[in-house]
Amino acid sequence: MPKVIYPWLQSQWRELVKQHNQKRLPHAMIFAAPEGLGVLQLVAQLSQLLLCKKPQDNSACGQCSSCELFKAGSHPDLHNLTVEDKKTVITVEQVRGLISILSETAHQSGYRIAIVQPAHLMNKASANALLKTLEEPGNDTLLMLITDRVSALPATVRSRCLIVNISAPSEEVALDFVQENYPDNTKTDLVAVRMAQNRPLHAVDILKSGTLQERQDFFAYLQGLSNKRLEPTSLYNRFNDKNKLLVFCDWMLGLVSDCEKHQAGIAMNKLQNSDQHVLIEALDKITIEQRFHWHKSLLETKRVLLSSSNINPKLLLDDMLLNWIAFFR
Ligand SMILES: [Zn+2]
């Protein structure tokens, strides 16, 4: 049998199945959702259902020849378009290849389905090449684009698709899922869920990887700087990792938000970094103006990191840390 649909995707699933049963499923859809919600699985389940030869109770049978091909990852009418190895975009050649395949008749005399993800990694030429197919894909053809940056898609693409917006579930739903699937971490699971901004699969990744320890080390370092126990050069002095710096930026942005909330009288246990009360209390003394500039400079650092390839992460990190130290000197 197919996998179950994640609890937070149930309502979208029911809606899609209803549209399919009423034969009004759009032929081109954009699933706009943050990563870590398992949307690709939802899209895959829908594909299997549409391709299945003997669906039962709005579910693929899991046994017919079509389901067997699906499970083997070799269904000839299901096409996955994603960034190829050593490439950074979905190329126009890939899109042309897809269009050519979709113009042929279906191998299994049913649906022809294309999944494009992450769709915002189509470059301009790729997106343009896809426009006509999005408009008139042909009978029983379904194009599903997945992205966590829908605004990065050209307006011409967006206007030709139905946009299915999916957001993260409540903290309660995310926490239930994490505790059920990763039960040995009662102390840290709430921290992970808040770090993941309620994206359940992302929270599980955080718990499984060394991310929590790394975050603990980073915050301990910040604390050492704040009480003058450490000098800024004493750690991270050979730092040269752009992606890690983005993570540090996000952690610091979490602190900014917690600082603001705590100064406004919100209880510690409601904050994202509720386990970091020493740090957050130390930040109580900074002024609104300082906090505002801190926030602004972190966003600027993030913007630079995301938009430029020619940067020196160590310099940006130094700036970030000097800013931090200035609060406590
Ligand atoms: Zn089947």
Side-chain angles (χ1 to χ4, degrees):
M1 285 299 288
K3 289 188 204 165
V4 289
I5 300 287
Y6 292 122
W8 56 91
L9 297 176
Q10 293 281 354
S11 63
Q12 279 89 6
W13 172 252
R14 282 193 297 270
E15 181 59 27
L16 290 165
V17 169
K18 191 169 103 189
Q19 290 179 356
H20 168 55
N21 290 339
Q22 296 173 348
K23 302 205 182 315
R24 54 181 184 87
L25 200 61
H27 55 251
M29 289 186 273
I30 296 173
F31 290 81
E35 274 184 56
L37 298 186
V39 169
L40 181 57
Q41 193 195 310
L42 176 83
V43 166
Q45 296 263 90
L46 181 64
S47 306
Q48 188 180 0
L49 173 63
L50 299 189
L51 294 168
C52 176
K53 291 183 192 305
K54 290 177 192 154
Q56 299 155 356
D57 301 330
N58 295 326
S59 200
C61 74
Q63 288 160 354
C64 69
S65 60
S66 196
C67 282
E68 289 300 335
L69 285 166
F70 176 90
K71 285 188 282 183
S74 55
H75 200 294
D77 295 319
L78 177 62
H79 308 283
N80 266 302
L81 213 58
T82 188
V83 179
E84 289 174 345
D85 268 358
K86 295 181 185 156
K87 294 268 171 66
T88 53
V89 296
I90 296 172
T91 63
V92 68
E93 289 77 20
Q94 286 178 275
V95 172
R96 286 192 187 126
L98 174 72
I99 293 169
S100 152
I101 292 170
L102 290 179
S103 66
E104 297 163 9
T105 40
H107 292 262
Q108 301 274 317
S109 64
Y111 261 97
R112 286 164 306 172
I113 299 173
I115 300 171
V116 183
Q117 60 95 24
H120 60 266
L121 290 184
M122 286 189 290
N123 60 17
K124 217 172 176 183
S126 311
N128 278 336
L130 195 63
L131 289 182
K132 196 167 178 308
T133 309
L134 286 173
E135 205 154 274
E136 294 170 358
N139 287 339
D140 290 338
T141 303
L142 177 62
L143 286 112
M144 293 189 276
L145 281 56
I146 303 176
T147 179
D148 62 346
R149 290 177 60 196
V150 68
S151 59
L153 283 171
T156 44
V157 169
R158 280 181 276 143
S159 65
R160 283 165 172 80
C161 302
L162 177 87
I163 299 181
V164 182
N165 283 302
I166 301 178
S167 41
S170 68
E171 183 172 291
E172 202 186 349
V173 169
L175 196 57
D176 275 354
F177 177 82
V178 170
Q179 287 175 340
E180 214 165 279
N181 290 276
Y182 207 62
D184 303 328
N185 288 271
T186 42
K187 268 189 199 155
T188 46
D189 44 17
L190 181 61
V191 173
V193 164
R194 287 182 180 172
M195 275 172 77
Q197 291 164 328
N198 297 353
R199 292 170 293 161
L201 304 183
H202 188 42
V204 170
D205 280 348
I206 287 174
L207 287 166
K208 282 185 176 166
S209 66
T211 309
L212 277 177
Q213 186 56 50
E214 208 173 337
R215 165 183 168 277
Q216 188 54 44
D217 293 345
F218 183 67
F219 283 162
Y221 179 57
L222 291 184
Q223 207 173 313
L225 292 176
S226 72
N227 60 25
K228 307 182 182 70
R229 210 165 26 78
L230 293 173
E231 286 303 317
T233 47
S234 63
L235 250 178
Y236 300 105
N237 54 348
R238 289 206 303 269
F239 184 86
N240 196 22
D241 188 331
K242 185 175 155 177
N243 289 326
K244 192 125 290 174
L245 189 53
L246 269 171
V247 173
F248 290 170
C249 252
D250 281 336
W251 289 346
M252 275 220 176
L253 282 165
L255 283 182
V256 175
S257 153
D258 282 351
C259 167
E260 180 177 2
K261 287 178 184 158
H262 196 247
Q263 286 180 335
I266 293 176
M268 190 67 78
N269 64 5
K270 300 281 181 213
L271 305 183
Q272 179 186 323
N273 300 291
S274 53
D275 58 333
Q276 301 295 325
H277 54 95
V278 177
L279 263 188
I280 292 166
E281 275 158 9
L283 284 168
D284 273 346
K285 65 174 199 153
I286 71 170
T287 64
I288 294 175
E289 204 182 9
Q290 281 177 310
R291 197 184 68 222
F292 178 78
H293 285 295
W294 182 25
H295 190 198
K296 212 170 122 188
S297 79
L298 285 171
L299 292 178
E300 176 59 15
T301 305
K302 240 186 124 165
R303 191 193 62 77
V304 171
L305 281 167
L306 287 170
S307 63
S308 164
S309 54
N310 188 21
I311 44 149
N312 182 341
K314 175 73 174 83
L315 284 181
L316 289 173
L317 177 65
D318 283 351
D319 267 0
M320 235 161 83
L321 296 177
L322 287 172
N323 245 333
W324 171 264
I325 290 167
F327 295 151
F328 305 98
R329 299 286 140 109

